Amino acid sequence: MQKWLWGLVAVIALAAGVWLSASFKSTTAEPVAALVYPSPRALTDFNLLDEQNQPVGLKDLQGHWTLIFVGYTHCPDICPMTMAKLAGMYQDLVKLTPEPLEIWFVSVDPKRDTPEQLAQYISYFNQAPIKARTAEHKDLFPFIRQLGLMYAINEGTEDRYTVDHSASLALLNPQGAVVAMFKPEMKAGAVPLINNQQFLADYPLVIAATAE
């Protein structure tokens, strides 16, 4: 009787340990500022140009992970601050990524952001090999929409206008599909920006959840 009782206690303790372990993992392994899609969102092919005025398409997203941020070079705050943050974190992100990692800055202001302008802009963030892309709106808008991001050109003069755009970052897997979205930190009266510490905490969790 005593042996049976001790056996029952051992089984209950083991089950409780497994449950607590699973519960602990589920509560501690969830990203805080990232949205992970239930299944990868495949993209259709697209036509962009890089900072060397060379064509870029779906094949250029394959074989590596990609972080994409959309913006424009005349942006006064969100864009330069976000790109500086990404450049500063790049080496840490590379260590956390199982395959190569690329960072794409996609300009949604093709009128002013020529390939020459884009090349000069990304050179400011030389801590990381950032790549620039853009296109005419007829090609650009469908691509941005596929990523789950947005932009809108505001009214202004011929050369002076602003562009509203997403402050989030899209993560694409080595198959070129969108797997997650990293959201900026929203504070009253402050520019919406990714939080470096939270981003570096969330990033490996997202990679682990989507690398299968």
Side-chain angles (χ1 to χ4, degrees), residues 42-188:
L43 304 182
T44 59
D45 206 357
F46 53 87
N47 297 298
L48 304 179
L49 293 173
D50 67 12
E51 68 276 12
Q52 303 300 324
N53 206 30
Q54 297 300 307
V56 175
L58 184 61
K59 62 179 176 50
D60 296 293
L61 282 172
Q62 297 170 350
H64 55 81
W65 294 83
T66 312
L67 277 168
I68 297 182
F69 178 75
V70 304
Y72 64 116
T73 66
H74 288 73
C75 176
D77 40 40
I78 298 176
C79 298
M81 295 170 75
T82 299
M83 297 312 296
K85 282 173 170 282
L86 288 173
M89 291 188 291
Y90 181 75
Q91 293 303 326
D92 290 325
L93 294 174
V94 166
K95 295 174 184 176
L96 297 170
T97 313
E99 284 90 10
L101 172 67
E102 291 189 2
I103 296 176
W104 285 20
F105 173 74
V106 181
S107 169
V108 290
D109 184 15
K111 182 177 181 180
R112 294 179 294 189
D113 287 347
T114 63
E116 294 78 16
Q117 174 76 4
L118 288 171
Q120 182 181 21
Y121 186 76
I122 60 175
S123 71
Y124 298 141
F125 313 103
N126 56 14
Q127 294 167 278
I130 296 170
K131 299 185 176 183
R133 282 81 173 90
T134 193
E136 294 300 319
H137 292 298
K138 64 181 178 63
D139 295 316
L140 188 61
F141 187 77
F143 173 69
I144 300 301
R145 185 171 53 189
Q146 284 193 84
L147 296 176
L149 302 174
M150 58 75 64
Y151 73 95
I153 308 294
N154 292 316
E155 292 183 3
T157 64
E158 181 71 13
D159 297 317
R160 291 182 178 273
Y161 54 87
T162 59
V163 183
D164 292 333
H165 60 87
S166 302
S168 298
L169 292 160
L171 177 67
L172 285 73
N173 65 18
Q175 289 71 51
V178 185
V179 294
M181 191 76 65
F182 292 90
K183 297 171 287 185
E185 188 175 35
M186 308 296 288
K187 292 183 179 180

Side-chain angles (χ1 to χ4, degrees), residues 11-54:
V11 170
I12 293 173
L14 178 61
V18 170
W19 180 85
L20 285 172
S21 175
S23 177
F24 178 78
K25 288 180 181 178
S26 66
T27 57
T28 59
E30 292 294 326
V32 173
L35 169 66
V36 179
Y37 296 119
S39 58
R41 299 172 57 178
L43 304 182
T44 59
D45 206 357
F46 53 87
N47 297 298
L48 304 179
L49 293 173
D50 67 12
E51 68 276 12
Q52 303 300 324
N53 206 30
Q54 297 300 307

